[in-house]
Amino acid sequence: MDRITIVICNYNYERYLATAIDSALQQDYAATHVIVIDDGSTDGSRAIIEGYGDRIQSVFKSNGGQVSAYNHAVEIVDAEFAIFLDSDDLLYPSAASEVMQVFGTGDWAKVQFRLDVMDSAGNTTGAYVPNSSAPRNCDTLLRGGWLYPSPPASGNAYRVSALKQVFPIPEAIADRYGADFYAIYGTALVGPVADIPKSLGGYRVHNTKSSNVSFANSEQINKAPKAFTMRWQILRTTAASRLQIDLPEAFYDFSHEKALFCSGVYHAPVATRWRWMMRDSHDYLHTIVANPFWSLKKKVGTLVLSCLCLVPYSPLSDFVVRYINNPLARRRAVEQ
């Protein structure tokens, strides 16, 4: 039986850490090994980790950021397959067995699965990520600059030999996080990606109010998109030096562009909204019209909704922004 390692990278998440570790230990796949890497936590995380004794492999390191933790994990994992579970997320009991079943069907570099969106208390919200499946030609699309639909870190299982072709990633002071970006898109340049169209875990979002507009778990909507741009450039450099693959200078991703769209028009006067749409919306509109992952119906619907942001009535415009940006606002609107 092939072994799989669940790696939990933790920093100051003592509130959620035990839930993540328990979910990893409760996998119904017998050959599952659990490693917890604590990245210099200053809360009570160490005591929680030590409480599991030899049921897990514990690694305590000085704080270096998520990229540093991933680099260390890829170096020490001795199994051929791994899931990187964020310490505030969880896996359902069959996650490891189901991804291993898929790995057995081909030479997959990555197997991804959906995650149910949870609130900070662990209650499911009815939403899940991602909302689109990864196509079989992820590699070709990435070479054209398109970031394919992928779940966050915890929804991905990797062939470790593929990760080793991408990692270690330079531990830049300017961006110590976003290690899952390099794993998700870097491995897709190494080999094919498989998609399991069901939820095998939970993704904790700490801002789950339908009135929020945010980029993933980022409090600052402008911060994460800028980090994405930096990460793409690092991925380009890595792909060129290690894989001899030339990626384009620009990338296309609707999640990235809708964050910029929201920052440009949310709570803005009507003149500002019109000015943004006339001058700054080219990339946003391109990720809708030319999106290779969307149906025509979804493209038309998103374009129509986006145009509603131009109406003079601000409450409608702001509602549309929340509806486009926040899946929870979308779901609750349907329920009402």
Side-chain angles (χ1 to χ4, degrees):
M1 176 180 281
D2 290 325
R3 293 183 302 124
I4 185 170
T5 297
I6 298 175
V7 180
I8 302 173
C9 297
N10 175 70
Y11 177 68
N12 284 351
Y13 261 156
E14 63 173 329
R15 177 181 175 186
Y16 311 111
L17 180 57
T19 298
I21 296 175
D22 289 342
S23 76
L25 290 172
Q26 291 165 4
Q27 292 300 299
D28 60 15
Y29 187 76
T32 301
H33 179 59
V34 180
I35 299 177
V36 180
I37 299 177
D38 187 78
D39 191 43
S41 292
T42 57
D43 61 1
S45 294
R46 186 179 187 114
I48 293 172
I49 296 168
E50 291 176 337
Y52 284 89
D54 60 5
R55 288 189 291 164
I56 63 175
Q57 178 181 342
S58 304
V59 177
F60 298 98
K61 60 183 290 295
S62 59
N63 181 251
Q66 189 188 40
V67 170
S68 173
Y70 266 57
N71 284 343
H72 189 72
V74 173
E75 180 182 354
I76 67 173
V77 169
D78 59 2
E80 174 59 354
F81 305 98
I83 297 173
F84 281 72
L85 175 64
D86 282 349
S87 57
D88 59 338
D89 294 341
L90 59 85
L91 295 173
Y92 299 156
S94 66
S97 59
E98 295 202 41
V99 299
M100 290 304 292
Q101 183 177 2
V102 175
F103 272 125
T105 66
D107 191 25
W108 306 106
K110 192 190 91 163
V111 175
Q112 66 179 49
F113 49 88
R114 292 191 323 213
L115 296 172
D116 290 325
V117 176
M118 308 181 301
D119 62 20
S120 59
N123 302 307
T124 56
T125 62
Y128 58 82
V129 288
N131 291 296
S132 301
S133 298
R136 289 298 177 93
N137 60 335
C138 292
D139 174 39
T140 302
L141 292 166
L142 268 174
R143 290 170 187 253
W146 284 97
L147 302 186
Y148 66 89
S150 173
S154 303
N156 301 278
Y158 302 97
R159 190 177 295 272
V160 175
S161 56
L163 283 174
K164 288 181 181 294
Q165 294 185 55
V166 179
F167 285 80
I169 295 296
E171 297 175 20
I173 296 176
D175 184 25
R176 306 187 334 146
Y177 303 97
D180 53 323
F181 182 94
Y182 309 111
I184 288 167
Y185 300 112
T187 53
L189 295 171
V190 175
V193 174
D195 192 286
I196 299 177
K198 64 182 290 188
S199 295
L200 296 179
Y203 171 57
R204 200 181 304 269
V205 175
H206 302 281
N207 302 305
T208 53
K209 292 182 180 180
S210 62
S211 59
N212 283 340
V213 288
S214 59
F215 189 93
N217 270 329
S218 175
E219 293 280 354
Q220 298 177 322
I221 199 167
N222 285 320
K223 184 177 179 180
K226 291 178 181 177
F228 252 49
T229 301
M230 181 189 306
R231 290 165 194 162
W232 176 254
Q233 297 307 320
I234 293 173
L235 180 62
R236 288 183 68 222
T237 302
T238 302
S241 62
R242 298 190 188 158
L243 305 176
Q244 290 70 57
I245 294 175
D246 292 324
L247 296 175
E249 184 173 350
F251 68 92
Y252 303 107
D253 177 60
F254 179 71
S255 294
H256 172 266
E257 294 301 331
K258 77 178 181 181
L260 298 176
F261 160 73
C262 292
S263 65
V265 302
Y266 192 54
H267 287 331
V270 63
T272 301
R273 286 181 262 139
W274 272 90
R275 186 162 51 249
W276 190 93
M277 290 295 288
M278 297 300 293
R279 296 192 320 184
D280 303 320
S281 64
H282 176 270
D283 289 343
Y284 173 75
L285 296 175
H286 180 74
T287 59
I288 298 173
V289 176
N291 197 309
F293 315 111
W294 288 9
S295 66
L296 178 61
K297 179 180 178 181
K298 186 171 182 178
K299 293 178 182 181
V300 172
T302 307
L303 286 172
V304 171
L305 282 170
S306 300
C307 290
L308 290 177
C309 293
L310 301 176
V311 300
Y313 186 54
S314 294
L316 175 59
S317 173
D318 290 340
F319 170 78
V320 168
V321 173
R322 293 193 298 271
Y323 189 91
I324 292 173
N325 182 267
N326 188 340
L328 296 179
R330 208 171 307 151
R331 182 180 64 85
R332 287 164 184 166
V334 173
E335 288 176 352
Q336 293 170 0

